[in-house]
Amino acid sequence: MKNHQRLFAILISTSILIVACMGSAGRTAESNRARERNPGVSDADITTLVDGNNAFALDVYQALRSQGD
């Protein structure tokens, strides 16, 4: 249970920090380097990425959940 509380505190602290940094000057930091704004990525690649991200998130959640028992 303490791990969940720590994780929650870290997430809240990080969120507050991000909001404070974004709202402080009303500007967004952006690189002046060229970037690909519309990369050609197939639907299959996007699906693979999303599935992998979801699996990772669930694995992390299960690992944290089992530590609290």
Side-chain angles (χ1 to χ4, degrees):
M1 188 67 175
K2 285 190 175 196
N3 287 333
H4 288 102
Q5 291 172 342
R6 279 189 219 149
L7 179 61
F8 183 72
I10 290 169
L11 290 174
I12 293 297
S13 300
T14 303
S15 298
I16 291 170
L17 180 61
I18 290 170
V19 169
C21 289
M22 288 176 52
S24 63
R27 296 176 292 182
T28 301
E30 188 172 325
S31 173
N32 59 357
R33 293 183 177 253
R35 70 191 79 202
E36 181 65 43
R37 295 193 182 265
N38 296 309
V41 180
S42 71
D43 288 343
D45 286 343
I46 292 173
T47 299
T48 300
L49 176 66
V50 170
D51 290 345
N53 285 345
N54 288 341
F56 173 75
L58 291 171
D59 288 346
V60 170
Y61 175 74
Q62 288 298 328
L64 290 173
R65 186 172 179 224
S66 67
Q67 286 180 0
D69 293 339

